[in-house]
mmCIF file of all heavy atoms in Angstrom:
data_model
loop_
_atom_site.group_PDB
_atom_site.id
_atom_site.type_symbol
_atom_site.label_atom_id
_atom_site.label_comp_id
_atom_site.label_asym_id
_atom_site.label_seq_id
_atom_site.Cartn_x
_atom_site.Cartn_y
_atom_site.Cartn_z
ATOM 1 N N LEU A 73 -50.429 36.283 38.424
ATOM 2 C CA LEU A 73 -51.351 37.342 38.007
ATOM 3 C C LEU A 73 -51.994 38.089 39.163
ATOM 4 O O LEU A 73 -52.109 39.307 39.163
ATOM 5 C CB LEU A 73 -52.451 36.711 37.058
ATOM 6 C CG LEU A 73 -51.992 36.184 35.789
ATOM 7 C CD1 LEU A 73 -53.083 35.367 35.052
ATOM 8 C CD2 LEU A 73 -51.466 37.335 34.863
ATOM 9 N N ALA A 74 -52.267 37.371 40.242
ATOM 10 C CA ALA A 74 -52.792 37.955 41.472
ATOM 11 C C ALA A 74 -51.744 38.893 42.073
ATOM 12 O O ALA A 74 -52.142 39.903 42.689
ATOM 13 C CB ALA A 74 -53.255 36.888 42.455
ATOM 14 N N GLN A 75 -50.537 38.626 41.944
ATOM 15 C CA GLN A 75 -49.426 39.447 42.440
ATOM 16 C C GLN A 75 -49.092 40.557 41.469
ATOM 17 O O GLN A 75 -48.071 41.257 41.704
ATOM 18 C CB GLN A 75 -48.204 38.599 42.727
ATOM 19 C CG GLN A 75 -48.336 37.622 43.891
ATOM 20 C CD GLN A 75 -47.038 36.848 44.153
ATOM 21 O OE1 GLN A 75 -45.967 37.109 43.659
ATOM 22 N NE2 GLN A 75 -47.182 35.826 45.000
ATOM 23 N N LYS A 76 -49.857 40.666 40.396
ATOM 24 C CA LYS A 76 -49.568 41.695 39.427
ATOM 25 C C LYS A 76 -48.113 41.540 38.783
ATOM 26 O O LYS A 76 -47.458 42.461 38.538
ATOM 27 C CB LYS A 76 -49.734 43.100 39.944
ATOM 28 C CG LYS A 76 -51.128 43.409 40.436
ATOM 29 C CD LYS A 76 -52.157 43.392 39.371
ATOM 30 C CE LYS A 76 -53.513 43.768 39.957
ATOM 31 N NZ LYS A 76 -54.651 43.063 39.355
ATOM 32 N N ASN A 77 -47.789 40.291 38.549
ATOM 33 C CA ASN A 77 -46.515 39.957 37.967
ATOM 34 C C ASN A 77 -46.792 39.152 36.669
ATOM 35 O O ASN A 77 -46.420 37.897 36.577
ATOM 36 C CB ASN A 77 -45.643 39.129 38.953
ATOM 37 C CG ASN A 77 -44.233 39.083 38.519
ATOM 38 O OD1 ASN A 77 -43.855 39.327 37.331
ATOM 39 N ND2 ASN A 77 -43.348 38.840 39.483
ATOM 40 N N PRO A 78 -47.424 39.780 35.672
ATOM 41 C CA PRO A 78 -47.799 39.029 34.451
ATOM 42 C C PRO A 78 -46.621 38.521 33.687
ATOM 43 O O PRO A 78 -46.736 37.552 32.855
ATOM 44 C CB PRO A 78 -48.590 40.043 33.734
ATOM 45 C CG PRO A 78 -48.138 41.435 34.141
ATOM 46 C CD PRO A 78 -47.759 41.152 35.591
ATOM 47 N N GLU A 79 -45.517 39.135 33.783
ATOM 48 C CA GLU A 79 -44.351 38.717 32.988
ATOM 49 C C GLU A 79 -43.920 37.336 33.361
ATOM 50 O O GLU A 79 -43.714 36.480 32.476
ATOM 51 C CB GLU A 79 -43.133 39.668 33.174
ATOM 52 C CG GLU A 79 -43.322 41.030 32.653
ATOM 53 C CD GLU A 79 -44.122 41.957 33.538
ATOM 54 O OE1 GLU A 79 -44.381 41.614 34.701
ATOM 55 O OE2 GLU A 79 -44.425 43.045 33.083
ATOM 56 N N ARG A 80 -43.971 36.980 34.690
ATOM 57 C CA ARG A 80 -43.594 35.604 35.142
ATOM 58 C C ARG A 80 -44.693 34.671 34.630
ATOM 59 O O ARG A 80 -44.416 33.442 34.190
ATOM 60 C CB ARG A 80 -43.501 35.560 36.599
ATOM 61 C CG ARG A 80 -42.334 36.279 37.205
ATOM 62 C CD ARG A 80 -40.966 35.648 36.794
ATOM 63 N NE ARG A 80 -40.718 34.227 37.155
ATOM 64 C CZ ARG A 80 -40.260 33.790 38.286
ATOM 65 N NH1 ARG A 80 -39.895 34.574 39.218
ATOM 66 N NH2 ARG A 80 -40.090 32.475 38.423
ATOM 67 N N ALA A 81 -45.955 35.066 34.709
ATOM 68 C CA ALA A 81 -47.079 34.112 34.230
ATOM 69 C C ALA A 81 -46.965 33.962 32.718
ATOM 70 O O ALA A 81 -47.217 32.837 32.212
ATOM 71 C CB ALA A 81 -48.368 34.769 34.604
ATOM 72 N N LEU A 82 -46.544 35.033 31.977
ATOM 73 C CA LEU A 82 -46.555 35.004 30.543
ATOM 74 C C LEU A 82 -45.601 33.887 29.996
ATOM 75 O O LEU A 82 -45.914 33.181 29.113
ATOM 76 C CB LEU A 82 -46.185 36.352 29.937
ATOM 77 C CG LEU A 82 -46.322 36.421 28.449
ATOM 78 C CD1 LEU A 82 -47.613 36.234 27.958
ATOM 79 C CD2 LEU A 82 -45.698 37.748 28.057
ATOM 80 N N ASP A 83 -44.403 33.852 30.603
ATOM 81 C CA ASP A 83 -43.389 32.836 30.167
ATOM 82 C C ASP A 83 -43.929 31.473 30.225
ATOM 83 O O ASP A 83 -43.859 30.637 29.312
ATOM 84 C CB ASP A 83 -42.124 32.927 31.003
ATOM 85 C CG ASP A 83 -41.351 34.281 30.804
ATOM 86 O OD1 ASP A 83 -41.575 34.912 29.740
ATOM 87 O OD2 ASP A 83 -40.637 34.669 31.707
ATOM 88 N N LEU A 84 -44.619 31.136 31.364
ATOM 89 C CA LEU A 84 -45.162 29.819 31.582
ATOM 90 C C LEU A 84 -46.377 29.516 30.649
ATOM 91 O O LEU A 84 -46.459 28.586 30.053
ATOM 92 C CB LEU A 84 -45.499 29.699 33.064
ATOM 93 C CG LEU A 84 -46.243 28.411 33.459
ATOM 94 C CD1 LEU A 84 -45.211 27.211 33.148
ATOM 95 C CD2 LEU A 84 -46.611 28.489 34.958
ATOM 96 N N LEU A 85 -47.209 30.594 30.503
ATOM 97 C CA LEU A 85 -48.468 30.378 29.804
ATOM 98 C C LEU A 85 -48.227 30.227 28.268
ATOM 99 O O LEU A 85 -48.877 29.468 27.652
ATOM 100 C CB LEU A 85 -49.385 31.600 30.067
ATOM 101 C CG LEU A 85 -50.029 31.513 31.489
ATOM 102 C CD1 LEU A 85 -50.745 32.852 31.769
ATOM 103 C CD2 LEU A 85 -50.961 30.335 31.595
ATOM 104 N N LYS A 86 -47.279 30.974 27.798
ATOM 105 C CA LYS A 86 -46.975 30.911 26.377
ATOM 106 C C LYS A 86 -46.537 29.376 26.008
ATOM 107 O O LYS A 86 -46.900 28.847 25.017
ATOM 108 C CB LYS A 86 -45.892 31.925 25.910
ATOM 109 C CG LYS A 86 -46.521 33.253 25.758
ATOM 110 C CD LYS A 86 -45.492 34.435 25.493
ATOM 111 C CE LYS A 86 -44.358 34.173 24.620
ATOM 112 N NZ LYS A 86 -43.578 35.345 24.400
ATOM 113 N N PHE A 87 -45.649 28.912 26.888
ATOM 114 C CA PHE A 87 -45.133 27.544 26.699
ATOM 115 C C PHE A 87 -46.208 26.544 26.882
ATOM 116 O O PHE A 87 -46.433 25.577 26.004
ATOM 117 C CB PHE A 87 -43.981 27.334 27.730
ATOM 118 C CG PHE A 87 -43.317 26.013 27.450
ATOM 119 C CD1 PHE A 87 -42.780 25.630 26.299
ATOM 120 C CD2 PHE A 87 -43.175 25.146 28.489
ATOM 121 C CE1 PHE A 87 -42.047 24.420 26.058
ATOM 122 C CE2 PHE A 87 -42.555 23.907 28.392
ATOM 123 C CZ PHE A 87 -41.963 23.616 27.112
ATOM 124 N N ALA A 88 -47.109 26.656 27.864
ATOM 125 C CA ALA A 88 -48.212 25.727 28.059
ATOM 126 C C ALA A 88 -49.238 25.776 27.065
ATOM 127 O O ALA A 88 -49.753 24.799 26.610
ATOM 128 C CB ALA A 88 -48.785 25.980 29.530
#
Side-chain angles (χ1 to χ4, degrees):
L73 293 170
Q75 291 182 11
K76 302 294 185 214
N77 194 340
E79 293 82 8
R80 290 295 303 271
L82 184 66
D83 293 338
L84 177 59
L85 289 168
K86 282 173 40 176
F87 187 56

